[in-house]
Amino acid sequence: MSVTPSSRRVALLTLGCARNEVDSEELAARLDEGGWQVSTDAAGADVVLVNTCGFVEKAKQDSIETLLAAADTGAKVVAAGCMAERYGRELAESLPEAQAVLGFDDYTDIAARLDGVLAGERFDAHTPRDRRELLPITPVQRQAAKVVIPGHATVDEHTPAHLRPVLRRRLDNGPVASLKLASGCDRKCAFCAIPAFRGAFVSRDPQELLAEAEWLAKSGVRELVLVSENSTSYGKDLGDPRLLEKLLPQLAAVDGIVRVRASYLQPAETRPGLVEAIAGTPGVAPYFDLSFQHSSEPVLRRMRRFGSTERFLELLDSARKLAPAAGARSNFIVGFPGETRADVDELVRFLSEARLDAIGVFDYSDEDGTEAAGLDKKVREDTIKKRYDRVVTLADELCAQRAEERLGSIVEVLVDTVEHGEIEGRAEHQAPEVDGSTTLVAGDGGADLAALRPGDFVRARVTATEGVDLVAVPVEMISAAPVSPR
């Protein structure tokens, strides 16, 4: 049976990080303009477009499994996103179930590409290349380069940034949304392949960001999560490395937005002024998502990173002097080539003193195209597992203790969901999906639970903890969600 243009249906499935979610919403807008009906449900779709993740081995395996499951639905399957960009032709040859493997350069013509897929056309997958080479070495020259960068689409470059149409279609109606500050990265971390397939660092125009924030607010968004590969570099290619400090209060002032959260901060680039802006700006969550990765100085040097236990503790202390209840999270890699027992002991010392709210732990594995893959002094797999288990167990204990420190305190909670009588939200120190949540319950002197809706912003008193999660009684409405999107 033929498919008429008006009935073409595509399911857009997104894997990986919040940056990928923003990219998917750009793709959704382009497909919508091209006459496709877009959803996130593969049932009944003519085409399933999978925005893959290519960061680490488990993420790549999840992407493959999602693509195979999509093929089982009978729909035509298209791979896009980081894994497709990173492996291109290699992925296409190993995955005949996919009708097309599309790279970032295909995004601007995504509707036409899917039209072709539906018509039975076959597309030659690209040969991957280092996308850093597509942009000038000098950051301030990159804005003028004509390179496809997902999440940076400009509909009309001749119109002032704040007046341009927003090329984005939301794929859910929740009260929180990511706002992409920038793409790419100029750092040369030995374990990371992201810069090679995401490209060099490029900031988005601040006026364009403000316009998108206003558009999101009008769609019902209450919290903005600022995402990028490295948010602390924002503005360096626009001639102002302190631009994020200036942008934060402007975003917090957008009508309808009750909270702005910065993420993906590099410790070596987190300047005192930025710490002050995050810790002290009304409407900005005092929340520090710091990419430490380790705390042993020798390991950090081998990773081509900077810092130490003492320097990282000083950074956290500087934030807590300004905002004593500030939240902090980080990720760590154990088993990096050359890591010794003494290095692990040093990491344990740091974690024990840092009082982090959330800790992500990764066991090291070689990644294609990274410097670390070629390093000697590899740690044995069984040793990595033992170290990983040790650090994960400690992390769980420490994060639970940190949550208990918040017993009796007042937290500001954005209500995310109200389902089957359970009300779940997040406090200032809890980012979406990664840092735990806060369940709101009835209690003496509490607010009316039955009246709470997603998007409400309330003060609540913490009465119990469950691991990293909090249980709290709402005591005051700060800002009620609008009855309907304005």
Side-chain angles (χ1 to χ4, degrees), residues 108-122:
T108 53
D109 296 315
I110 189 66
R113 295 288 187 275
L114 296 201
D115 288 344
V117 167
L118 201 55
E121 294 179 32
R122 301 292 296 193

Side-chain angles (χ1 to χ4, degrees), residues 21-29 167-172:
E21 293 171 3
V22 176
D23 296 350
S24 284
E25 295 194 344
E26 177 197 319
L27 291 172
L167 190 62
R168 180 171 180 177
R169 175 186 160 178
R170 295 201 68 205
L171 292 172
D172 66 58

Side-chain angles (χ1 to χ4, degrees), residues 27 78-88 100-110 113 124-126 131 148 150 197:
L27 291 172
V78 176
C82 291
M83 188 176 183
E85 175 63 37
R86 185 176 180 186
Y87 293 103
V101 173
L102 304 180
F104 296 152
D105 291 336
D106 292 301
Y107 280 23
T108 53
D109 296 315
I110 189 66
R113 295 288 187 275
D124 291 333
H126 66 287
R131 293 191 72 87
V148 175
F197 59 86

Side-chain angles (χ1 to χ4, degrees), residues 268-314:
E269 298 178 29
T270 304
R271 300 168 299 278
L274 182 57
V275 173
E276 292 171 11
I278 293 174
T281 302
V284 174
Y287 170 83
F288 293 85
D289 175 17
L290 293 156
S291 176
F292 290 131
Q293 302 301 345
H294 212 285
S295 74
S296 168
E297 200 162 359
V299 174
L300 288 167
R301 294 299 173 272
R302 286 192 290 273
M303 289 180 169
R304 295 200 179 277
R305 296 175 66 86
F306 303 94
S308 65
T309 293
E310 300 309 326
R311 288 177 65 180
F312 291 163
L313 290 174
E314 289 170 4

Side-chain angles (χ1 to χ4, degrees), residues 154-206:
T154 298
V155 179
D156 178 6
E157 63 183 14
H158 303 295
T159 299
H162 67 288
L163 296 176
R164 294 172 189 161
V166 174
L167 190 62
R168 180 171 180 177
R169 175 186 160 178
R170 295 201 68 205
L171 292 172
D172 66 58
N173 59 359
V176 59
S178 297
L179 182 63
K180 182 178 277 193
L181 289 174
S183 284
C185 186
D186 289 341
R187 302 187 70 85
K188 302 186 186 306
C189 301
F191 54 82
C192 186
I194 289 175
F197 59 86
R198 274 289 184 179
F201 184 88
V202 181
S203 301
R204 293 181 65 198
D205 184 289

Side-chain angles (χ1 to χ4, degrees), residues 407 437-441 460-466 469-473:
L407 282 169
S437 63
T438 298
T439 300
L440 296 177
V441 298
R461 184 178 66 257
V462 180
T463 57
T465 65
E466 298 174 3
D469 299 326
L470 305 181
V471 178
V473 175

Side-chain angles (χ1 to χ4, degrees), residues 173-176 220-223 256-259 411-418 423-428 438 440 447-460 474-484 486:
N173 59 359
V176 59
V221 170
R222 305 277 277 162
E223 176 176 331
I257 299 299
V258 297
R259 187 158 66 195
V411 292
E412 295 183 350
V413 178
L414 178 71
V415 177
D416 282 332
T417 59
V418 179
I423 303 171
E424 189 172 9
R426 291 169 297 99
E428 305 98 303
T438 298
L440 296 177
D448 181 11
L449 283 181
L452 291 179
R453 296 176 295 115
D456 284 344
F457 194 45
V458 302
R459 288 192 179 88
V475 296
E476 179 185 7
M477 177 72 76
I478 303 173
S479 173
V483 175
S484 60
R486 295 185 300 278

